[in-house]
Amino acid sequence: QVQLQESGGGSVQAGGSLRLSCVASGHTGNVKRVAWFRQAPGKEREGVALISTDGYCTTYVDSVKGRFTISRDNAKSTVYLDMNTLKPEDTAVYSCAAFTGWLNICDIPPSAAFDYWGQGTQVTVSS
């Protein structure tokens, strides 16, 4: 089992920045990739960014490219999401998810493919 705990959400004005953290605990040795997803009210969950635990793969959804950066600190079992130039449309509950399978492409799998999830953290961007 792997436990994931997010932190760092909050309320900011448009153009501001936030850093989200996802700390993993438990049997983390099987985790191959960690992703950040978000879900806004009335919308489907969306994969935002993904990083492999070996660092060779990072990928982003088009709407956040150039504004968000995903990174990892394996010594701290932590994955970060640095969010800059935030927009009101970035408002959502952000959750991190861990994937223990194998992929031969650098892409964000559907949410159903992920094995473990955090409880989520709210990000609100006001105009």
Side-chain angles (χ1 to χ4, degrees):
Q1 290 288 330
V2 175
Q3 295 78 42
L4 302 174
Q5 180 67 57
E6 303 98 335
S7 62
S11 297
V12 296
Q13 290 190 329
S17 300
L18 283 173
R19 166 176 262 203
L20 305 183
S21 299
C22 172
V23 179
S25 60
H27 297 287
T28 60
N30 293 329
V31 175
K32 301 297 190 295
R33 302 186 182 199
V34 176
W36 284 97
F37 284 80
R38 66 185 179 186
Q39 187 165 22
K43 295 188 176 181
E44 292 187 356
R45 182 179 285 171
E46 174 187 43
V48 174
L50 176 143
I51 189 166
S52 60
T53 51
D54 61 11
Y56 283 102
C57 167
T58 57
T59 190
Y60 303 87
V61 69
D62 285 347
S63 60
V64 307
K65 285 180 180 178
R67 300 189 299 123
F68 291 11
T69 302
I70 191 169
S71 61
R72 81 200 195 287
D73 184 336
N74 287 350
K76 296 181 178 180
S77 298
T78 302
V79 171
Y80 303 98
L81 185 67
D82 288 296
M83 306 185 296
N84 298 308
T85 319
L86 282 161
K87 304 175 181 180
E89 51 264 43
D90 294 318
T91 295
V93 174
Y94 284 71
S95 302
C96 62
F99 179 82
T100 61
W102 182 81
L103 288 174
N104 61 356
I105 58 172
C106 186
D107 202 354
I108 304 175
S111 59
F114 287 79
D115 304 285
Y116 304 100
W117 290 83
Q119 84 292 345
T121 185
Q122 176 71 45
V123 171
T124 303
V125 184
S126 58
S127 57

